Amino acid sequence: MKLMRVGPKGQERPVILDADGIYRDISAHIGDLTGDKLGAETLTKLQALDLSTLPELDANERIGACVANVGKFICIGLNYADHAAESGLDVPSEPVMFMKATSAIIGPNDDVEIPRNSTKTDWEVELGVVIGQEAKYVEEADALDYVSGYCVINDLSEREFQIERQGQWVKGKSADTFGPIGPYLVTKDEIADPQNLDMYLEVNGARHQSGNTKTMVYGVAHLVAYVSQFMSLQPGDIISTGTPPGVGLGMNPPVYLKPGDKMKLGIQGLGEQQQTVIQG
């Protein structure tokens, strides 16, 4: 299934995208796409619905983040060897983890704001993993059992705040609008192999990132299991799994976003995002 949330900010309704691309309102069945509605039992009930009987919504409505009330937004750094190289850093011997503030989350096509005093706002297309049930000390062989589905994420980053301003990366990752998520939460039954998905990102029509999740240093199952050794993962938590090469920081000379720029990014089977950059 492709699950979405559409409507004005703060008033989004959950929908299923049917085979004809029609938005079908499922709010009468689940209320919203919150973590407690992302478990196998609820998803099985949704799959059994006769979509033709559900209310149709306007396909031109704004698309919100595909998960409501995200508890933890966990990110993995330097998880593609070639991205680590362009950043001038070694491939880590264990996954690099950092948190991104949930207040950064926006819809996939909402405007992205350059923060005040920013000179190095950058882009990163990433595969998002949405947790469907509590995961604590799980084994890698079982890790995908705890996954509800996948989504596209643009892990926007302010490189000066991240690298040059001391402390943890979270400062450069958490500005308002720095977490576009969606358009869909695609349930895991539709993704045969999360480690073989093409991904791309363009700025003003120029392709900067072209990659595939098969080149991750640490795959999805490993990451879910690894993170669960340090903290329990709750339904609705999201893990953003790292980016392939082609970010602005890695260009020579570096290139960063400016007001008026337009980004387009996507992942095979998970849809596309489009954002216009504005000054915050």
Side-chain angles (χ1 to χ4, degrees):
M1 291 182 293
K2 290 182 173 65
L3 302 173
M4 307 172 63
R5 300 173 64 248
V6 303
K9 292 180 181 180
Q11 302 176 44
E12 295 92 345
R13 286 173 288 176
V15 305
I16 291 179
L17 187 70
D18 73 13
D20 297 317
I22 297 172
Y23 292 0
R24 297 290 184 174
D25 189 348
I26 54 174
S27 57
H29 295 273
I30 65 168
D32 203 352
L33 288 172
T34 49
D36 60 322
K37 303 298 194 303
L38 299 180
E41 182 178 352
T42 300
L43 295 182
T44 298
K45 290 179 179 178
L46 293 178
Q47 287 176 324
L49 293 174
D50 180 354
L51 300 188
S52 66
T53 67
L54 299 177
E56 181 178 340
L57 298 179
D58 183 355
N60 294 315
E61 286 206 61
R62 170 187 171 270
I63 302 172
C66 59
V67 180
N69 302 330
V70 174
K72 293 193 288 296
F73 197 171
I74 302 162
C75 300
I76 307 299
L78 307 175
N79 197 30
Y80 289 73
D82 33 14
H83 171 57
E86 73 174 352
S87 301
L89 298 168
D90 294 331
V91 173
S93 59
E94 294 185 37
V96 172
M97 292 169 48
F98 61 93
M99 307 293 278
K100 195 176 184 90
T102 56
S103 55
I105 293 173
I106 57 171
N109 304 321
D110 291 342
D111 290 344
V112 164
E113 298 179 4
I114 294 179
R116 291 183 185 179
N117 304 312
S118 166
T119 59
K120 299 181 179 180
T121 293
D122 204 350
W123 57 81
E124 295 188 12
V125 59
E126 305 202 1
L127 172 67
V129 179
V130 181
I131 301 301
Q133 62 174 307
E134 183 179 11
K136 186 174 183 178
Y137 301 126
V138 303
E139 299 294 331
E140 184 170 342
D142 303 321
L144 295 187
D145 294 343
Y146 297 84
V147 172
S148 176
Y150 305 97
C151 63
V152 181
I153 293 176
N154 191 352
D155 175 24
L156 287 133
S157 311
E158 211 300 338
R159 300 303 187 186
E160 181 191 4
F161 299 175
Q162 176 189 359
I163 300 169
E164 302 172 38
R165 296 287 295 274
Q166 303 301 317
Q168 299 181 349
W169 286 7
V170 64
K171 282 195 295 195
K173 296 285 189 170
S174 295
D176 291 351
T177 77
F178 269 26
I181 294 176
Y184 320 123
L185 188 169
V186 180
T187 51
K188 65 180 177 182
D189 58 292
E190 291 201 8
I191 303 300
D193 182 3
Q195 300 308 148
N196 190 21
L197 301 175
D198 291 329
M199 55 205 307
Y200 78 92
L201 184 144
E202 299 174 352
V203 180
N204 300 328
R207 181 72 55 103
H208 290 299
Q209 290 188 277
S210 294
N212 187 290
T213 56
K214 66 186 176 184
T215 65
M216 283 184 185
V217 178
Y218 302 104
V220 171
H222 183 90
L223 292 174
V224 172
Y226 183 85
V227 174
S228 80
Q229 308 305 308
F230 300 94
M231 66 190 78
S232 63
L233 292 166
Q234 306 299 321
D237 287 352
I238 295 177
I239 301 174
S240 197
T241 57
T243 198
V247 300
L249 173 68
M251 299 176 72
N252 187 18
V255 175
Y256 297 110
L257 294 168
K258 61 186 184 302
D261 284 346
K262 296 185 182 298
M263 290 177 284
K264 183 177 180 181
L265 57 148
I267 299 177
Q268 180 181 353
L270 302 181
E272 294 182 329
Q273 302 183 354
Q274 297 188 64
Q275 296 114 25
T276 298
V277 179
I278 63 174
Q279 183 62 54

